[in-house]
Amino acid sequence: MTTVFVVAVRVRLLEVPLDRDEGEYAYVGQQLLRGVPPFESIYHVKLPGIYAVYAAIEALLGETVAAIRTGLLAVNLASGAVVFAIARRFFGPLASALAAAAFALFSLGQELDGFSANAEHFLLLPALLGLLALLAAPGGRRGRALVFLAGLGLGVATVVKQQGLFFLAAGALYGVAFAWAERPRRPARRLRDGAVFTLGAALPYALLCAMFAALGLFERFWWWTAYYPRRYVSEISWADGWANFWLTFHPAGERLGVVDAHWPLLALAAGGGLWLLASRRRRALAFVGSLAVGSALAVATGLHFFPHYYLLAAPAVALGVGAAVQALGAWRGPALALLAGAAVLGFAVHSQRAYLFELDPILVSRTSFGANPFPESVEIARYLEAHTEPGDRIAVLGSEPQIYFLAKRRAATGYVYTYEMMREHPHVRELQTEMTREIEAALPRYVVMVNILASWQPARLENPDRFLLDWAERFLGKRYRRVGLVEIRWPRQKLGRFCWDAPGLRCRPPRRVGDAAPLWIGIHERLPDAGEGALSPPASAP
């Protein structure tokens, strides 16, 4: 019944506008289908496995928002089925079914951005399959084959998103904590199993490196995914990390906190963990404990505590619920266990009733992401697609990659995010200069200027480098004319106000009212006599 309910809700939310991360994955996947690999279409710190996932979805289901969310639905259902299979290794059918139901409902939560096709959803499926293979591995050659597949699944999860490394570590920790303790007299076999597991885990990343080397893109791939993140991404202080963590419980705006709708579910899961500690189920404790530790580290990565990071805790929470239901069933019978499980699931549904039953897709986006221009991106992209040819380039000054995907046009630069251009690190001017040089060389047909702080500056910086902003003012003023303007008026209005230039009508940016900065987006068309020539000094590419 829970599965049918979750499917019905996800189908109702198929058309929620894409957010930035979804737009990034969808755009790069779209470019992959056109023969343009990552690190040509985009320069970013994320490993590119998620782009291949999106490309597969778009190839099978189409290049639409609904297709992407349908792919998410299929993967989420498959992950729930694997959670059930893992739970059955330790618990009875009722406890396993309620664990799968808890996973499905927790991973749907609005407070975790569960409706969005974030990389965390797609990381979980290969990670869970790998962990299930590790649990199922018997002795002998067949066992080593499953151990290899376990490492392979966890390795695939790591190249989908770097946090998969913590699930890989959880699998290795379980192997050390349980397998060695169970058979201490056969260390040679365990060493062989460890080597086979390591080989499977390393293979996806090794193939990725080989592929980019063959494409001549290894240097850029390595710089963005290994060198730059390790050395120059600004580290978040412990004080800021604590502030970010606190925001997950007390967010600004209309969002629920991460635990608001699920605190009974989380309490039940914690009770299940305590029962495992007190019981003699060493194998279950080793597995669930390793998974819980890995999940906690994955959620805390970088001390950002983004809401969708908590999706990575869904399997551990679900297995904790399964353990609690198993304990209640053994103590007072299945009726009490079923009642407790139904009560915590019912509380989650009731707490999110507006999101689950009432809010339309636009309001789901607004109540989740506030004034970010995700709903408006649809109309902007429709205009750009109608006024350009398939071979034309466009540029978005800001961090709104969903516009490229929706418009079905390639970006004039690989910098589809401006976040890295506004952080405090030694390469900031180098990156800004390369972005401006690429845009000047492409001289895109249209440029979208996003005058919204959240699209430029994710961190709280006192003195951001304004080189790129100053260049944009000169570049647009010399070679472009504004043909459209979108003013974001949330929460006064659900959708922004669109203004397109026409004879006798000139769109003007909104005025500042008090301390509130106006939120608007300008759409600029290249002038017929735009000409060429650089407005910024050259720079060597990283």
Side-chain angles (χ1 to χ4, degrees), residues 100-383:
F103 172 85
L105 200 56
F106 187 75
S107 61
L108 176 63
Q110 184 183 21
E111 70 279 11
L112 281 69
D113 300 337
F115 56 88
S116 291
N118 282 304
E120 286 77 9
H121 285 291
F122 299 100
L123 175 162
L124 285 177
L125 181 56
L128 290 170
L129 286 169
L131 293 172
L132 178 60
L134 194 61
L135 285 172
R141 293 183 179 179
R142 180 170 174 269
R144 280 195 291 275
L146 282 175
V147 168
F148 174 79
L149 290 175
L152 185 64
L154 291 161
V156 168
T158 300
V159 301
V160 170
K161 193 170 186 179
Q162 282 92 329
Q163 281 131 305
L165 184 63
F166 295 106
F167 288 84
L168 175 60
L173 180 61
Y174 167 74
V176 171
F178 180 74
W180 276 87
E182 285 292 295
R183 296 180 177 86
R185 296 180 181 179
R186 305 184 66 179
R189 175 182 164 185
R190 293 301 144 194
L191 285 174
R192 286 196 299 270
D193 286 349
V196 169
F197 178 82
T198 302
L199 176 63
L203 185 59
Y205 187 75
L207 291 175
L208 205 60
C209 291
M211 181 188 72
F212 283 110
L215 292 169
L217 294 170
F218 180 78
E219 184 178 356
R220 191 180 285 274
F221 161 74
W222 185 258
W223 195 93
W224 276 102
T225 63
Y227 177 83
Y228 170 68
R230 189 170 66 250
R231 287 174 169 80
Y232 294 118
V233 173
S234 300
E235 294 184 0
I236 294 177
S237 67
W238 287 103
D240 286 341
W242 173 253
N244 291 338
F245 179 68
W246 187 247
L247 280 175
T248 65
F249 297 93
H250 302 281
E254 300 183 32
R255 294 187 68 118
L256 291 173
V258 167
V259 300
D260 287 342
H262 294 291
W263 67 262
L265 190 70
L266 296 172
L268 188 64
L274 293 174
W275 176 73
L276 287 176
L277 280 171
S279 70
R280 296 182 178 181
R281 296 171 177 254
R282 291 188 302 165
R283 191 175 187 219
L285 177 60
F287 182 85
V288 177
S290 299
L291 182 59
V293 171
S295 300
L297 292 173
V299 170
T301 298
L303 301 180
H304 294 288
F305 294 102
F306 293 127
H308 54 274
Y309 280 14
Y310 287 89
L311 291 167
L312 298 173
V317 169
L319 292 176
V321 169
V325 171
Q326 184 77 11
L328 288 172
W331 178 46
R332 291 296 184 186
L336 179 62
L338 179 60
L339 182 62
V344 296
L345 295 176
F347 182 90
V349 171
H350 181 265
S351 298
Q352 301 180 93
R353 58 192 180 278
Y355 157 66
L356 296 172
F357 302 108
E358 300 170 12
L359 298 182
D360 63 37
I362 301 299
L363 282 176
V364 168
S365 179
R366 284 295 186 221
T367 55
S368 300
F369 304 118
N372 281 294
F374 307 147
E376 288 75 20
S377 295
V378 178
E379 181 62 29
I380 293 171
R382 187 178 293 122
Y383 177 90

Side-chain angles (χ1 to χ4, degrees), residues 516-533:
L519 307 176
W520 59 281
I521 301 168
I523 298 91
H524 301 77
E525 183 182 25
R526 187 180 65 212
L527 294 169
D529 56 346
E532 298 181 355

